[in-house]
């Protein structure tokens, strides 16, 4: 258990014991199902923790030239790379750092595959398919929404795939269950199975939240074994992001002021929702706060002083940089630690330096109960991003 009083504020801090618990489960699923499960950098890229990951998995997935370099240079293996659009500038480096390259469209494939072929590198190329089916309810995260820019629909696939297409990549989940995967597989097989004899691998993308407590991992393993039995020549790949670092650590913050306006009390923190927890405003959802009860958002408007109900406010000048209603068991004090749970996946990679606000440090709490601070951010980090 992380001792938050030994953690600097503000700081993202990963719990190594919780990380290893997730990694052990993921490795077990991969081994039992006979599939490859790889880490998606778009959710997590804290590269100084990669030595722990390498004990359990071999490969990663990249969505850009920088992520591909991170895979090759820091994780130590070439990436499975997919991007909505490659450029002439980036593609040579993408090839150097990738074992698999998935193209979003046939126009991109026709433009860049000749470079792959001429390079002589052992790179397996694929095309992203769009099954036109997804149970993701939030359109912001639905890659199969009408008019999507992602993937090729079945009506655009030729009966004989072009030379060089060795795999299909499909992504249509977001923190989804194995039962949603079951429905998706039915659509994929009904629509695309006639091309399966022509390919070597099928990448089922991310969004498989197998480390969530209510996830039915036995059902997932059964689904994947069944898929392998039906198409034994196919290598099956999953590339979840959140599942690896789900509930593996918090963002530790501190109260710097308490303000009240027309009965609404706001505890202003040394972190920002818009800068350091942007998913909270994009979705939005209220993060769990350690030691506090989450209430309906509007509860703050009718709260009595003695109820110790607070809104949490960020330290940027954006008017909407605040969230929710939380009930504490005591009046909050300036300097008190506030622990925002489950802030390691996606949150860290989506942060920004709006307002030049001090960026939270990045640390890991090791299994021997020692803290290692991987990164402290300084003025120069902000300055050097701007020019």
């Amino acid at each position: 258990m992380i001792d938050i009083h030994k953690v600097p504020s503000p700081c993202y801090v990963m719990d190594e014991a919780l990380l290893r618990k997730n990694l052990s489960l993921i490795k077990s699923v991969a081994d039992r199902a006979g599939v490859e499960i790889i880490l998606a950098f778009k959710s997590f890229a804290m590269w100084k923790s990669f030595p722990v990951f390498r004990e359990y998995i071999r490969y990663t997935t990249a969505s850009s030239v920088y992520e591909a370099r991170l895979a090759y240079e820091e994780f130590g293996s070439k990436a499975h790379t997919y991007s909505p659009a490659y450029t002439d500038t980036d593609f040579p480096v993408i090839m150097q750092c990738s074992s698999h390259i998935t193209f979003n469209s046939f126009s991109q494939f026709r433009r860049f595959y000749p470079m792959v072929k001429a390079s002589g590198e052992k790179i397996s190329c694929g095309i992203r398919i769009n099954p036109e089916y997804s149970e993701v309810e939030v359109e912001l995260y639905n890659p199969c929404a009408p008019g999507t820019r992602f993937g090729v629909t079945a009506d655009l696939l030729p009966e004989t795939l072009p030379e060089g297409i060795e795999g299909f990549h499909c992504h249509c989940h977001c923190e989804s269950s194995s039962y949603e995967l079951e429905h998706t597989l039915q659509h994929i097989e009904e629509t695309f199975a006639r091309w399966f004899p022509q390919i070597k691998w099928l990448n089922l993308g991310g969004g498989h939240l197998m480390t969530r407590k209510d996830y039915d991992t036995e059902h997932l393993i059964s689904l994947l074994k069944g898929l392998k039995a039906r198409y034994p020549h196919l290598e099956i790949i999953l590339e979840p992001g959140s599942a690896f670092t789900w509930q593996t650590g918090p963002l530790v913050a501190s109260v710097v002021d308490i303000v009240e306006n027309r009965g609404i009390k706001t505890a202003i923190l040394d972190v920002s929702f818009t800068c350091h927890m942007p998913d909270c405003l994009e979705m939005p959802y209220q993060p769990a706060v350690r030691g506090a009860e989450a209430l309906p958002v509007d509860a703050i408007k009718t709260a009595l002083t003695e109820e110790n109900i607070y809104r949490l406010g960020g330290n940027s000048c954006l008017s909407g940089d605040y969230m929710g209603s939380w009930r504490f068991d005591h009046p909050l004090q300036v300097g008190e630690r506030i622990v925002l749970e489950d802030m390691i996946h996606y949150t860290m990679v989506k942060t920004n330096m709006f307002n030049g606000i001090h960026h939270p440090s990045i640390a890991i709490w090791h299994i021997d109960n020692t803290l290692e601070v991987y990164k402290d951010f300084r003025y120069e980090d902000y300055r050097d991003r701007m020019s």
Side-chain angles (χ1 to χ4, degrees), residues 289-308:
V289 176
R290 189 174 301 179
E293 177 189 0
L295 302 175
V297 173
D298 289 340
I300 188 73
K301 296 179 180 179
T302 57
L304 302 175
T305 299
E306 59 269 21
E307 291 183 289
N308 299 319

Side-chain angles (χ1 to χ4, degrees), residues 245-320:
T245 50
W246 181 258
Q247 295 185 341
T248 56
L251 172 57
V252 177
S254 297
V255 178
V256 295
D257 195 14
I258 296 172
V259 298
E260 185 169 346
N261 185 291
R262 298 193 180 277
I264 294 177
K265 290 185 293 186
T266 302
I268 299 179
L269 309 179
D270 59 354
V271 293
S272 161
F273 288 98
T274 191
C275 296
H276 309 136
M277 298 166 276
D279 266 359
C280 294
L281 298 182
E282 282 183 6
M283 285 297 284
Y285 67 91
Q286 279 194 180
V289 176
R290 189 174 301 179
E293 177 189 0
L295 302 175
V297 173
D298 289 340
I300 188 73
K301 296 179 180 179
T302 57
L304 302 175
T305 299
E306 59 269 21
E307 291 183 289
N308 299 319
I309 296 175
Y310 297 83
R311 189 167 64 184
L312 298 182
N315 58 348
S316 80
C317 66
L318 176 70
S319 298

Side-chain angles (χ1 to χ4, degrees), residues 17 38 45 98 126 148 186 199 229 240 243 249 258 293 319 323 363 377 386-387:
I38 63 181
S98 303
T148 181
Q186 291 171 358
I199 61 175
I258 296 172
E293 177 189 0
S319 298
M323 281 209 74
F377 291 87
M386 297 299 103
S387 62

Side-chain angles (χ1 to χ4, degrees), residues 86-88 91 103 107-116:
Y86 301 107
T87 66
D88 290 318
F91 200 73
F103 296 93
S107 59
Q108 281 265 299
F109 172 76
R110 288 190 293 269
R111 179 176 171 185
F112 290 106
Y113 178 67
M115 295 173 63
V116 175

